[in-house]
Amino acid sequence: MPGRNAFSNNNATVAHDLVVAQKRKQTRNWEKSNPARRYLIPVDVRDEVAALAEALMENVDPLACVLFDYAETCHTRGTLKFKPRLNPKGRKHTLAWEEADTEPIQLQSRRHRSVKRTDTPFRSLKGQTAAYRLGAERHVRLRVIAEAYNLPLADILSAFFRHSIQAFRDGKLKIRREPVVMQMQVRGWSE
Amino acid sequence: MKIIVFANQKGGTGKTTTVVNVGDALSRMGKKVLIVDLDPQGHAAVSLNLDTEPCVANWLMYPIFNANPITPEIMNQWIRPTRRENLFLLPGNQMTAKTQRLLTIEEKPINYIKDQLSAVRRLGFDYLLFDTPPSTGGLQEMASWAADLVVIVSSLDYLSADGVSGFVDMLKVLQTEKQWHGKLAGVLPTFYDEQTRTTREQMANLRTAFPDQVFTPIHRATLLREASAEGLTIFEKDLKSRSAFEYEDLARRLSKLE
């Protein structure tokens, strides 16, 4: 047997003639002009940024901006230095020729071999990238630094995140929240 | 400063637990929050591991016995830090009930509490959360009139729903007869247990009565009771719990309402 309904006497909905609060409308103009960009950064760095954001109950994007700004300041100040070196995993060889005088080499005719597709390592970037909404200005600054060292953007960004997270762990970096003045309006005047 | 009142005419619906946890969630989002405990039981202080004190009574009786208005400096001597960043409390105790009787005898108008908030406004709080007593009229009515947003906290049983109905009627009177400019933020179902038929029925009744104003329910949880007993908020007790997630979500939704 169904229980009693405390609202059964009302013909219309209870809050029918009551002013109700509405969700604040957001224009998202900043987001439109500053789209999220995807960077190929190591999974451990991405996870550390996400974990820190969760611990601070904050979104990843503003945290990424703060970490970027701190590391950039350190870099400008000279306390964060980059030492570019060849990446052994990324080294490539190319072909060149030179004249020689050796014995002729007999080449065997090429035999057809079936190739098992499953043996071919499939290199997917899925899960290895992370998108951050750093803002157009920061992205340009990041590109300038990356070009100065002749390094990929993601390497610089990863190094920046690593540096800032380590500084946070060491207690050298304190992340605080500050009120943002969204809009000002005239409340009075004086002569 | 956004003023939010958490109310229901019925007691035991989870008002204090909600105020304390929403307050802590907002403060963790970087907002400066003041909780004002208008309930004579003073359980907001107990939930935050603080002492109950007659600070609300002092605040509300000050204009009756003093000719000068309350200044921010005077207000500051009654506001207690909670040892949590950005979260402050104006605690109450049994003296609050006596204050309510005094205000009735003095025939103070509906805007009495709102007028006393002018000093608080100058202290830079982003949010002021009122925990109200389970009764009709008096302080609950004055606090509702001062509020920008009203959240009706309802446990999912018939008597609590009846309290919601009565409280909404009171809001309608405030709006039509006393020029209330606040808004109903919504109804918050608490002690939600989807396995109980009564709970499901009451939830359906609420959704029919308030089609777009029912918040995501707060589940019945032992953790919440343990947290109150230990003087902790749910975020201090277990940050990863379902209750913590539900209260954080509620705080975010409230911060987006206007």
Side-chain angles (χ1 to χ4, degrees), chain B residues 116-134:
Chain B
Q116 308 319 316
L117 288 176
S118 57
V120 184
R121 285 181 196 279
R122 282 181 273 162
L123 292 174
F125 287 103
D126 298 305
Y127 285 90
L128 191 147
L129 310 181
F130 275 117
D131 183 18
T132 57

Side-chain angles (χ1 to χ4, degrees), chain A residues 181-189:
Chain A
V181 178
M182 302 298 287
Q183 207 172 14
M184 304 291 279
Q185 65 179 112
V186 178
R187 291 293 300 272
W189 56 272

Side-chain angles (χ1 to χ4, degrees), chain A residues 1-7 10 12-26 28 54-59 174 177 179, chain B residues 28-30 149 158 161-162 164-165 168 171-172 175 183-185 197 201-202 205-206 208-211 213 240 248 252 255-258:
Chain A
M1 185 180 148
R4 288 184 291 169
N5 182 358
F7 310 107
N10 298 281
T13 55
V14 175
H16 175 62
D17 45 0
L18 204 59
V19 181
V20 294
Q22 300 295 328
K23 200 173 172 184
R24 195 172 53 238
K25 287 201 173 68
Q26 292 175 311
R28 302 281 182 199
E54 197 178 318
L56 295 171
M57 288 177 76
E58 190 52 78
N59 291 334
K174 189 183 176 190
R177 294 182 178 83
Chain B
R28 282 163 185 260
M29 290 174 200
L149 296 175
Y158 175 78
D162 195 49
V164 174
S165 186
V168 168
L171 288 182
K172 286 177 182 172
Q175 189 176 278
K183 290 170 184 171
L184 175 68
R197 195 190 63 196
E201 277 178 12
Q202 293 298 337
N205 292 343
L206 267 185
T208 311
F210 300 90
Q213 287 88 39
K240 306 265 181 191
E248 187 197 336
R252 283 198 194 280
S255 68
K256 287 176 184 167
L257 288 179
E258 62 178 10

Side-chain angles (χ1 to χ4, degrees), chain A residues 159-171:
Chain A
F160 271 17
F161 283 169
R162 280 210 175 99
H163 178 77
S164 298
I165 290 172
Q166 192 57 46
F168 183 80
R169 285 202 181 123
D170 296 344

